[in-house]
Every structure is written in C-alpha cells, then in structure tokens.
Amino acid sequence: MALPSFHSSTFLCNFTPSIPLSHFKQFPNYSSLSVRCSTSESQQSESQESNQDAPKKKKRLSEQSSWEAKDSDGNDYLYRLGAEADNMNIAVGARAGVIDDLFAGNFLGKDSDIVFDYRQKVTRSFAYLQGDYYIAPAFLDKVVCHIVKNYISHLLNAKVPLILGIWGGKGQGKSFQTELIFQAMGIEPVIMSAGELESERAGEPGKLIRERYRTASQVVQNQGKMSCLMINDIDAGLGRFGNTQVTVNNQIVVGTLMNLCDNPTRVSVGQDWRQNDITHRIPIIVTGNDFSTMYAPLIRDGRMEKFYWQPTQEDIENIVCRMYEKDGITKDEVATIVNTFPNQALDFYGAMRSRTYDQSILKWVEDTGGAEDIGRRLIRQRKKGELPVFVPPEQTVEALLESGYSLVKEQKLIMDSKLSKEYMKNMDE
C-alpha cells in the first residue's frame, strides 16, 4: 500500500512511534514529513507555559467605575484630565468643606496648609490707599479707555492693542496714578516688577507672566471683578543699556508678551491644550522710563499703545496740594513751593516733606533712650506699647523750602562730583 505524499505537515500524536525512520526512506517525500510526538504530561506543561505567557485580564472594580474609565483613544481618562488641568494645587483636597471633616481633622486646624490663602493672594486690593488723591484727567482718560477697549474688544470692529505702555521721566507718578485709577474703578490687578523678569532657571519668568495673566483671568471669572496685569519698570528688565548681556529669559519674556498680544485668549502654562480652555482677554499695562531700549517688535503699534506722561504745571500743583492738604498748606503756598523748585519730579516734593520729619525723629530717639538703646527698646517695647508718643512736626512753608534746598544741594553734588569718572579715569584713555 502506497503512503500519500506529505508536504510540511505536522502531526500531534500521543504515542511513541515504533517504526524506525529508516523505513520511510523508501518514500520519496519523506524529507517533507515532520512528526512531533508528545505525551499528555508534555501537553500539560506546554498549556501551563502558554497560560503563564498570556497576560492576565485585570479585574475591574465595576463596569460603571470612573476610576478605570478610558477615553476614545484607550488612555486613562482621569489621568488625561489631570494632565490637561491648569490647577496644580494639591492642598485644596485637604481643606475644610472640600472633603468630609472626619478626614480634615481639628488638631492642626481645618486647613492642611495654614498659609495657603496668603501665599496664593497675588492680586492687589489697595486697602492702604487712604485719603483723597488727585488723578490727572489726561492720565485717567488714557488708562480707562485702554482697559474698557480691551474688555469690549469683541464688540469693536477694530484692532485693539493688548498692552498700554506708560513712559516718561523718573518719579512722575506713573505707577501711583495707575494704582489710584485701579482703586477708583474697583479693579483688582496682578502687579509684577522688573525684578521678576530674570531667574537662574531658564524659562521661569516667561512662565510666571503666563501664570499671572491666567490669575487675572480667574479674578474675572471667579470673583466677577475687573482685573489687569501690570508690570512696573519693564525697561529695567528688558531694556538694553550699553553692552548689557541678552539672556535666554529676556528673549522668552519678550516672546511671551508678543504671543499674549497675538493670542490673548489662548495661554498655556505647560498643560496639554484643551479645546474649551479659553482665557478672558486681560489688558496689560507696563510702565518705564525709556522704551527705546526695548525690542522694537514688542512695542510696535499693533501690540502696544504708547502714552508719554509729562505732568503739566497745573497737574503738579494739584497733586502736591492734595499731598500737603492735611498739613494746612494752602494752594497759593503750594504754587510758591513749586515755582521755587522748577523742573523737579513729583517725588521731589514728597521727599521734601519727608525730610522735615528728620529733626522730630531724632528728638524721639533721644526720648526713647538714645541711639545705643534704641534697638532693644524699639523691638521689645513696641509689643508692650511703652514707647514714647511720636509728635509729628508742624509743617510750614519755611521748613519745606529749607528741606527743598538741601535736596537740591545733594542733587548738584552728585552731578558736579562725578566720582565714577575720577575712579575710572583710565577707562577714557
């Protein structure tokens, strides 16, 4: 009987063949024959190995459990939400009212982080501005118009610059006048300074600006108040003076501000983009002394609206009059003081009033026990209320003029001496 031809066939049998292989040599196709024989024990071991290699199916807590939910791409849904979220604060989960009081406890207080509220408060409320101050009409009109234009930009068929750059001479009240306007309008702004525009870590200042911008947006959304981002003395942090070095942080800050101007409602702080992550448009106000030292594309007209602030004689007299109003100085006397010291910045008249306190302070130090004992008594007795009562000096025009002449003398000495040239006279050669 002739055996059929076998081509690369595999047999699985449970017996050991008794026919020697040489018997198959008479068949021409024996080389294609592959016979694999195994016992039941080998079958069991192989099945166990295959079961071990196969991944075990993870048992789910529940078919409706959100902890194990997957998105459309098969990724963990809760993990994706956490990666997309901009709220990286982990302390909120242990705050009273957020979770059950049983887990919050009482022995360390209701909140897990007792300084959480204070550390997160980056907005300014201007509670310290007590009294009646004068706001220059031209300054008021420019700031109010810029803020309102940005809040109604979606209603205007015009390009609205996001940044208002207020620049001018030193000590002319640019920052202070702006803060007075914020207080009058009920705005709760986020205020930065030029010192925050540099860091030992690359990219940190740019990220800080984006975080502060989003914080101002959250004030609008969560508190229902108007807000804005203000950066004081921006040219001191971004300006180029002589051979100053340009750092990576300078470039990133400039690029961040330019990007905010071009995309004011899409701001990322490192989280994944979400389609519905829309930020409120927040106006930005920056102050400085010389914007010509800054990167030109940042201060172009489409991104920044410039406002040169130089107070008029009337503005100076009105501001100084409000400054001296509690001292009983009349408006005519204020005009005399301003005319006596022309071409001086507004801060000069504040420093002039401050210098009149010097003699009264020295007398108070003597009444306290002298310079040798002032440190101990000032720190310890301040808590007990045992310090002598400080009597402020009586302001007169003569005392103010005397202080003004001493300030002018110091200014003249600095300009005439120029000791830096004397110390580095070889540098000019």
Side-chain angles (χ1 to χ4, degrees):
M1 177 180 114
L3 292 176
S5 300
F6 298 98
H7 299 282
S8 302
S9 302
T10 301
F11 287 91
L12 181 62
C13 50
N14 294 327
F15 61 91
T16 303
S18 59
I19 304 175
L21 292 177
S22 58
H23 180 74
F24 292 98
K25 291 183 179 180
Q26 55 180 319
F27 301 107
N29 297 324
Y30 80 96
S31 59
S32 306
L33 182 63
S34 176
V35 179
R36 182 165 60 89
C37 302
S38 62
T39 61
S40 59
E41 294 180 358
S42 61
Q43 270 189 327
Q44 286 181 350
S45 62
E46 287 183 1
S47 61
Q48 290 176 358
E49 291 177 359
S50 62
N51 292 336
Q52 291 178 357
D53 295 338
K56 295 182 178 179
K57 187 176 180 181
K58 186 178 179 181
K59 184 178 180 181
R60 293 196 59 177
L61 298 176
S62 171
E63 293 297 330
Q64 299 178 347
S65 174
S66 60
W67 292 101
E68 300 171 324
K70 304 292 183 181
D71 59 9
S72 59
D73 298 330
N75 300 320
D76 188 271
Y77 180 67
L78 292 179
Y79 177 81
R80 183 172 65 85
L81 283 182
E84 292 176 350
D86 59 329
N87 182 12
M88 299 302 176
N89 173 34
I90 61 174
V92 295
R95 290 173 60 79
V98 178
I99 62 173
D100 194 282
D101 292 340
L102 174 64
F103 301 100
N106 286 320
F107 60 97
L108 289 179
K110 287 293 186 181
D111 296 341
S112 63
D113 190 352
I114 59 176
V115 296
F116 172 81
D117 293 334
Y118 301 97
R119 190 169 61 236
Q120 296 295 318
K121 189 71 173 177
V122 297
T123 57
R124 192 78 60 87
S125 59
F126 307 112
Y128 62 92
L129 291 178
Q130 302 293 333
D132 191 13
Y133 298 93
Y134 177 83
I135 304 176
F139 201 103
L140 176 66
D141 293 344
K142 198 67 178 180
V143 174
V144 170
C145 181
H146 174 75
I147 294 175
V148 174
K149 277 172 61 178
N150 275 275
Y151 272 94
I152 64 170
S153 60
H154 60 286
L155 304 176
L156 304 176
N157 187 20
K159 173 70 174 178
V160 179
L162 186 70
I163 302 178
L164 171 63
I166 305 173
W167 67 288
K170 56 181 177 58
Q172 299 293 1
K174 296 181 290 294
S175 300
F176 188 66
Q177 290 273 296
T178 307
E179 292 179 359
L180 291 176
I181 296 174
F182 290 158
Q183 185 190 41
M185 296 182 65
I187 296 176
E188 189 166 327
V190 178
I191 298 182
M192 299 179 61
S193 67
E196 298 177 273
L197 302 182
E198 189 54 78
S199 173
E200 67 273 10
R201 291 181 295 224
E204 194 70 23
K207 181 182 178 182
L208 180 63
I209 290 177
R210 294 192 297 272
E211 288 177 346
R212 297 285 174 84
Y213 186 90
R214 290 179 65 97
T215 300
S217 174
Q218 290 171 2
V219 171
V220 178
Q221 179 178 351
N222 300 334
Q223 302 183 28
K225 296 181 180 180
M226 297 178 69
S227 183
C228 72
L229 176 63
M230 183 175 181
I231 306 177
N232 287 317
D233 305 311
I234 189 173
D235 56 333
L238 299 182
R240 303 271 66 84
F241 303 95
N243 296 323
T244 5
Q245 182 181 5
V246 179
T247 67
V248 174
N249 280 325
N250 295 150
Q251 296 174 331
I252 293 178
V253 167
V254 170
T256 298
L257 291 174
M258 292 169 62
N259 182 258
L260 288 177
C261 295
D262 299 335
N263 301 281
T265 60
R266 299 285 287 175
V267 183
S268 169
V269 290
Q271 83 280 11
D272 293 340
W273 285 110
R274 284 186 292 178
Q275 193 65 28
N276 59 349
D277 187 13
I278 303 299
T279 307
H280 288 274
R281 182 187 178 103
I282 301 298
I284 301 177
I285 298 177
V286 299
T287 63
N289 299 117
D290 189 1
F291 284 172
S292 66
T293 61
M294 294 172 59
Y295 188 57
L298 174 62
I299 65 173
R300 70 175 177 85
D301 294 331
R303 293 190 175 110
M304 179 185 294
E305 185 174 1
K306 277 78 66 181
F307 173 56
Y308 178 70
W309 169 237
Q310 179 63 46
T312 63
Q313 181 78 6
E314 182 182 1
D315 292 331
I316 294 176
E317 290 182 3
N318 288 327
I319 293 174
V320 176
C321 185
R322 294 290 178 87
M323 190 186 304
Y324 294 164
E325 190 174 20
K326 294 182 180 179
D327 300 324
I329 306 297
T330 64
K331 191 170 184 178
D332 294 336
E333 292 173 336
V334 168
T336 302
I337 295 173
V338 172
N339 292 328
T340 305
F341 304 103
N343 303 322
Q344 292 288 350
L346 281 170
D347 61 350
F348 173 84
Y349 304 101
M352 188 169 63
R353 182 179 181 275
S354 177
R355 181 161 285 202
T356 60
Y357 277 69
D358 291 355
Q359 294 301 322
S360 299
I361 291 175
L362 291 176
K363 184 179 183 305
W364 183 81
V365 170
E366 291 298 327
D367 296 340
T368 308
E372 296 81 3
D373 201 37
I374 185 63
R376 180 183 62 84
R377 301 192 63 182
L378 185 62
I379 299 301
R380 295 184 180 180
Q381 297 184 13
R382 180 178 58 184
K383 298 179 181 179
K384 300 179 182 179
E386 299 176 1
L387 291 175
V389 178
F390 176 76
V391 180
E394 182 180 353
Q395 298 290 352
T396 61
V397 178
E398 292 75 15
L400 290 170
L401 291 176
E402 182 181 355
S403 299
Y405 285 124
S406 64
L407 289 173
V408 171
K409 182 180 178 181
E410 295 292 342
Q411 292 176 350
K412 194 170 184 302
L413 278 173
I414 292 176
M415 299 305 297
D416 293 344
S417 298
K418 294 183 179 178
L419 292 179
S420 60
K421 287 191 175 183
E422 179 65 25
Y423 297 150
M424 298 181 290
K425 56 184 177 182
N426 296 329
M427 299 293 292
D428 297 334
E429 297 177 359

